[in-house]
């Protein structure tokens, strides 16, 4: 449990190798850990919920990504794509059957990571 710290869910999917890395970070208001992870994995696209973009007030995380990762493509995606249930369905469908039990234990309590995987899966892999 993170308390008042911002919690960020990340899902990195390598479409060439079919590898997925899910991560949930309790970060600070400056998002140092999140930015570091993005710099390490160098995603070709970053998906963010559309409410982080104008005409809404631009989110602090979006501003920091734009500043720290100026060459990154950040895409606005409707909030409905971030669904824990869809994320769990995607994992159930896409993971190796022998790994499912361990994956479910690992993602338990990681709502934001699971929701992020749902968005990436629906946009880049295939809608279920």
């Amino acid at each position: 449990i993170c308390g008042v710290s911002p919690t960020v869910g990340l899902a990195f999917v390598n479409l060439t190798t079919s590898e997925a890395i899910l991560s949930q970070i309790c970060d600070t208001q400056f998002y140092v850990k999140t930015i570091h992870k993005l710099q390490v994995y160098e995603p070709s696209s970053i998906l963010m919920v559309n409410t982080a973009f104008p005409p809404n007030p631009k989110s602090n995380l979006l501003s920091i990504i734009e500043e720290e990762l100026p060459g990154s493509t950040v895409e606005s995606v409707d909030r409905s794509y971030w669904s824990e249930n869809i994320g769990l369905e995607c994992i159930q469908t896409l993971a190796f059957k022998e790994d499912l039990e361990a994956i479910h234990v690992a993602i338990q309590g990681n709502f934001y990571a699971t929701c992020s995987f749902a968005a990436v899966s629906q946009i880049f892999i295939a809608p279920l």
Side-chain angles (χ1 to χ4, degrees), residues 20-70:
I21 298 168
L22 279 63
S23 183
Q24 185 161 305
I25 299 171
C26 294
D27 216 338
T28 68
Q29 64 184 356
F30 303 108
Y31 297 100
V32 174
K33 295 173 187 174
T34 301
I35 295 300
H36 177 72
K37 195 148 227 144
L38 289 169
Q39 288 170 331
V40 167
Y41 285 101
E42 300 178 321
S44 57
S45 284
I46 300 170
L47 305 179
M48 289 188 73
V49 67
N50 59 353
T51 56
F53 294 81
N56 298 308
K58 187 188 284 189
S59 78
N60 191 32
L61 178 56
L62 176 57
S63 296
I64 292 170
I65 288 172
E66 290 174 339
E67 182 178 317
E68 297 294 326
L69 304 164

Side-chain angles (χ1 to χ4, degrees), residues 48-105:
M48 289 188 73
V49 67
N50 59 353
T51 56
F53 294 81
N56 298 308
K58 187 188 284 189
S59 78
N60 191 32
L61 178 56
L62 176 57
S63 296
I64 292 170
I65 288 172
E66 290 174 339
E67 182 178 317
E68 297 294 326
L69 304 164
S72 297
T73 301
V74 183
E75 299 182 40
S76 171
V77 178
D78 190 79
R79 169 69 182 93
S80 64
Y81 284 88
W82 274 263
S83 163
E84 183 179 31
N85 288 336
I86 292 174
L88 293 170
E89 286 176 28
C90 290
I91 290 167
Q92 190 73 31
T93 302
L94 299 169
F96 292 116
K97 300 302 176 211
E98 61 270 14
D99 295 337
L100 278 174
E101 186 176 337
I103 291 169
H104 283 295
V105 169

